[in-house]
Amino acid sequence: MSFTPAPIPVRTASLPVIPVSPPNTSTGRLAIAQERFQFQDLPSLASRVCQAILSGSGFSSADRARLQEDMAALRFIPAGNTLTAGVYSLRPNCCTLGSPSPDRFSHVLEDCRTLWQTRTGVGIDLSQFPDPVFALWTLSRENHATTLLEGEKSRPKRGNMATLDIEHPRAIDFIRLKKTLPQGTISNFNISLRVTDSWMRQHGHMKNPVWRELVDAAWSCGDPGLFFLDRVHIPFGVDRRQMTLVPCGEQSMSPYETCNLGALNLAQFVSPHREIQWSQLSTTAGLAARFLDQVINCTEFAVQQCQEATAKHRRVGLGVMGFADMLQALGGIPYGSRTAQRLATRLGKCITKSARAQLPAAASVTCVAPTGGITLLTDNQGWGIEPFFAESTTLRPQDHLAIQAAWQRGMENAISKTVNLPRHANKQEVADTFSRAWKLRCKGVTVYRDGSSSMQPISLERKPSARGGQCTKCD
């Protein structure tokens, strides 16, 4: 089934169009990708992955050939763990463990060790623990101590996520944790606060001490983010309080679910005449969704509960990459402009409708992950839905949020995006960003002020590093 939205008029916007130099991937980036994903050239990579995933599936020979062509042409790129199918055992990117009770902590730790040994990140909510700070400290220490299995040692460990209800008695201690510890002490866990609409209406202002601590910590080190619990799509029979975030925040899932990801490279769906190839995008989205569903059948689960929950909900995460590159290819549509916002929503709805038509029973089918690792395969200058590096110095926080909210209107699960703030941004700007994200009905929000971490791989006041500072924790 195809979905072809009406053409989008391109109008002059008030934001400046940033001139962009030609891509400079070639040797350096491609060499990193070849080492990471174990391939010689793109056609052989696509052939190996399709052979490993689609053998014995219900794909027709024509659909398989079309999907393999899409992968070789970088129109669709599965997540990094899937790109190594046929070389390494296929393991999940991440698993969410819900909100366990303290009396189950020893069992949770055992499951975490098993998952970490197989390069699977975890997301866990600590709201039921009287001392969530100690629980997080224990989890972080165990993650550092866990040794990867022999076949996994050549690749880095995955990231993790810990969340806490903002009404927890020790919420302020949790909020302060990463701000007060030496930087890098708990670098293997992102942290977020679960917030309800009711709490935001009553307490989301600078007169509230918890809100002030949250804003101060986010301004100081980028953590924690916010997870708007009432915006989560809940599978039938699942308690909302058991929904947990994956490490980069693009998915909220029920206990022991896993999710496999993949991205449509939007830059490859623009014709030489600067027109979006809607029909091709819709067709590729449908095939990609079916492919990701088949990945579930090929995955090796180290924990039995993961296999059962994943098979029950069959959640996939089809997303996008290269949005900024598409805007440039369409004639330089300014990022954050009304035209870019309308385009983002229409793209999201097109992709979701095409994917949902193929997977009507899946818990959710679309989200936006960072795509930092798989961007190495492309000439894209922007990863996920992030702007070009050169644009980051000129965009206002509201421009970032406008694009995030526009994509959110078209996608079923969440959007992983950072609202970048300049070094001179004040705390009120952080507070305003959090409030605006909630009012725009985003599912979550993360801010980062330039220079607030000594571990920052890329600075708005310096040229990007060779690896571009891209997040590879989720793909």
Side-chain angles (χ1 to χ4, degrees):
M1 180 183 295
S2 63
F3 173 65
T4 308
I8 296 178
V10 177
R11 289 195 279 265
T12 303
S14 57
L15 295 176
V17 177
I18 306 298
V20 178
S21 56
N24 186 25
T25 37
S26 309
T27 311
R29 279 170 62 167
L30 185 59
I32 295 170
Q34 286 174 321
E35 179 181 0
R36 180 175 297 177
F37 305 129
Q38 300 290 294
F39 71 98
Q40 294 296 320
D41 54 61
L42 293 174
S44 64
L45 173 63
S47 176
R48 168 170 56 75
V49 173
C50 286
Q51 174 67 25
I53 303 300
L54 300 181
S55 294
S57 70
F59 270 67
S60 67
S61 57
D63 284 349
R64 177 170 169 172
R66 170 63 189 270
L67 184 66
Q68 186 169 321
E69 178 189 344
D70 283 335
M71 290 176 59
L74 299 178
R75 287 188 287 267
F76 167 61
I77 309 177
N81 64 324
T82 307
L83 288 177
T84 60
V87 177
Y88 299 110
S89 297
L90 183 54
R91 305 284 191 175
N93 273 327
C94 53
C95 169
T96 53
L97 302 177
S99 184
S101 59
D103 60 0
R104 290 198 61 250
F105 196 43
S106 61
H107 299 288
V108 169
L109 278 175
E110 183 179 347
D111 287 341
C112 284
R113 293 187 195 103
T114 301
L115 292 164
W116 288 331
Q117 285 178 334
T118 58
R119 269 191 94 242
T120 301
V122 303
I124 185 170
D125 179 73
L126 303 175
S127 297
Q128 294 198 58
F129 288 78
D131 190 348
V133 172
F134 177 76
L136 177 56
W137 183 271
T138 303
L139 287 164
S140 177
R141 182 185 60 198
E142 289 293 326
N143 176 260
H144 279 303
T146 299
T147 303
L148 294 171
L149 295 180
E150 192 60 39
E152 305 287 349
K153 289 183 178 179
S154 62
R155 298 183 290 172
K157 290 182 179 180
R158 296 286 184 192
N160 305 281
M161 171 69 79
T163 61
L164 185 75
D165 195 297
I166 200 167
E167 297 186 81
H168 193 284
R170 294 202 60 187
I172 288 180
D173 294 330
F174 186 81
I175 289 168
R176 290 174 175 172
L177 183 61
K178 295 186 81 170
K179 181 183 75 170
T180 55
L181 289 173
Q183 289 192 357
T185 304
I186 306 186
S187 60
N188 52 354
F189 271 83
N190 293 325
I191 61 173
S192 286
L193 290 175
R194 302 196 315 184
V195 187
T196 63
D197 289 344
S198 175
W199 194 95
M200 285 295 296
R201 281 192 292 267
Q202 296 179 52
H203 306 295
H205 52 75
M206 291 299 275
K207 294 180 181 179
N208 182 277
V210 178
W211 182 261
R212 286 200 305 271
E213 290 286 350
L214 165 68
V215 168
D216 181 72
W219 181 89
S220 298
C221 67
D223 270 309
L226 286 182
F227 170 31
F228 300 123
L229 190 60
D230 291 332
R231 310 286 165 79
V232 173
H233 173 72
I234 311 297
F236 180 76
V238 175
D239 183 347
R240 182 181 299 273
R241 292 168 296 181
Q242 289 293 330
M243 297 296 286
T244 317
L245 289 176
V246 300
C248 293
E250 72 274 5
Q251 292 270 27
S252 56
M253 305 191 297
S254 59
Y256 286 90
E257 270 195 90
T258 66
C259 182
N260 58 86
L261 304 169
L264 299 167
N265 184 6
L266 297 176
Q268 296 298 314
F269 292 95
V270 180
S271 75
H273 303 292
R274 295 184 173 180
E275 297 175 344
I276 296 175
Q277 299 168 320
W278 289 104
S279 179
Q280 186 178 48
L281 176 65
S282 178
T283 300
T284 302
L287 287 172
R290 289 175 56 201
F291 173 90
L292 293 177
D293 182 69
Q294 179 61 23
V295 169
I296 295 173
N297 302 331
C298 302
T299 301
E300 296 182 27
F301 296 92
V303 176
Q304 180 63 28
Q305 287 172 277
C306 293
Q307 183 172 9
E308 294 168 357
T310 302
K312 178 181 180 181
H313 297 294
R314 301 201 74 85
R315 189 187 304 273
V316 301
L318 179 61
V320 298
M321 62 194 299
F323 178 57
D325 296 84
M326 171 180 266
L327 296 179
Q328 185 71 14
L330 290 171
I333 299 174
Y335 190 96
S337 66
R338 297 274 184 167
T339 300
Q341 293 173 47
R342 288 194 297 269
L343 177 59
T345 299
R346 289 191 177 187
L347 286 165
K349 288 182 176 180
C350 171
I351 293 164
T352 297
K353 185 168 185 176
S354 301
R356 178 54 74 185
Q358 298 298 325
L359 305 178
S364 64
V365 294
T366 51
C367 67
V368 176
T371 73
I374 59 177
T375 299
L376 293 169
L377 289 164
T378 74
D379 283 332
N380 293 354
Q381 296 185 64
W383 58 92
I385 60 167
E386 299 291 354
F388 290 148
F389 176 77
E391 290 177 295
S392 296
T393 58
T394 65
L395 292 170
R396 304 166 300 171
Q398 51 264 47
D399 299 326
H400 285 279
L401 277 180
I403 292 299
Q404 179 176 340
W407 274 104
Q408 187 64 82
R409 288 190 285 272
M411 308 299 262
E412 291 187 344
N413 220 304
I415 310 296
S416 177
K417 176 169 174 27
T418 300
V419 178
N420 292 300
L421 301 174
R423 192 175 296 246
H424 58 75
N426 59 42
K427 294 175 186 178
Q428 186 59 53
E429 291 177 83
V430 174
D432 292 343
T433 299
F434 283 159
S435 297
R436 187 176 289 112
W438 174 67
K439 292 174 182 177
L440 288 172
R441 300 200 63 78
C442 296
K443 295 183 187 293
V445 60
T446 301
V447 303
Y448 183 76
R449 182 176 61 88
D450 184 39
S452 60
S453 171
S454 62
M455 301 176 68
Q456 180 175 326
I458 187 171
S459 172
L460 299 182
E461 297 184 3
R462 297 195 306 269
K463 293 182 179 180
S465 64
R467 292 178 184 257
Q470 300 171 352
C471 173
T472 62
K473 298 294 186 183
C474 299
D475 57 21

